[in-house]
Amino acid sequence: EADPAAHRAGIYDTAVFREEELEHRVAGDTGVTLVVIRVEAVIDGSPFDGIMMSYVNPLLAYGLDKLCQDARDLGIDGFIVPDLSIEEAVEFQARCKASGLHYIYLVAPTSTEERLRIVGERSSAFVYSVALLGTTGARPELSEELIPFLARARAAIKTPLVVGFGI
């Protein structure tokens, strides 16, 4: 559903998401439960069935190779790992790519031009753009900094930008 605050800011739907939380308990010694946010999305005409978002430590405990295989088997298209630095993401991104998966980078209004450039060079599916700093949640208006930030991001990143707000 369209967000009125986004439309007032000139941001229009390029992605439509329907989220459903699924839990997949994995047998074995890892003791890890994969909680998958099943996302049905269409971004620039390409369907995405699922994006997994997690901190890096549970993924490392699970094992990146097994993770990529199991994720593919579950119909996951890619990963967002907020606490994995851009420098440390290279290995995980390579494993994702080898498995036919995407590593989704995040950018924020505080991202430097250098970070935006690197993300632009590495991104493959889309880039998740954090809309504001601070606490998340619905707001009547979007930050005045959002449009200039997205213009900076668009100048450096050619893959679609997915803006997260109001969640």
Side-chain angles (χ1 to χ4, degrees), residues 36-79:
V36 177
I37 301 297
R38 173 71 64 194
V39 178
E40 291 181 3
V42 177
I43 299 172
D44 281 357
S46 299
F48 288 86
D49 294 323
I51 304 296
M52 182 177 179
M53 186 173 194
S54 173
Y55 293 113
V56 71
N57 283 341
L59 304 181
L60 293 174
Y62 192 81
L64 295 182
D65 291 329
K66 180 174 175 24
L67 175 71
C68 288
Q69 175 64 46
D70 289 350
R72 193 175 62 233
D73 292 347
L74 286 169
I76 302 302
D77 293 305
F79 297 93

Side-chain angles (χ1 to χ4, degrees), residues 3-12 141-144 146-147 150:
D3 186 291
H7 283 275
R8 284 193 299 276
I11 301 171
Y12 299 95
E141 298 294 327
L142 298 175
S143 167
E144 292 179 11
L146 180 59
I147 299 303
L150 291 176

Side-chain angles (χ1 to χ4, degrees), residues 68-150:
C68 288
Q69 175 64 46
D70 289 350
R72 193 175 62 233
D73 292 347
L74 286 169
I76 302 302
D77 293 305
F79 297 93
I80 297 174
V81 187
D83 65 333
L84 188 59
S85 74
I86 197 166
E87 296 81 12
E88 297 171 320
V90 175
E91 179 185 350
F92 189 28
Q93 184 176 14
R95 291 187 186 190
C96 287
K97 185 176 182 178
S99 297
L101 303 170
H102 297 281
Y103 182 85
I104 311 300
Y105 285 94
L106 286 101
V107 295
T110 55
S111 294
T112 64
E113 302 308 314
E114 178 68 6
R115 179 176 174 85
L116 293 173
R117 183 188 63 75
I118 292 169
V119 168
E121 291 171 357
R122 293 185 187 174
S123 64
S124 61
F126 64 88
V127 173
Y128 185 92
S129 304
V130 178
L132 57 100
L133 303 176
T135 307
T136 60
R139 289 174 168 65
E141 298 294 327
L142 298 175
S143 167
E144 292 179 11
E145 299 172 4
L146 180 59
I147 299 303
F149 157 60
L150 291 176

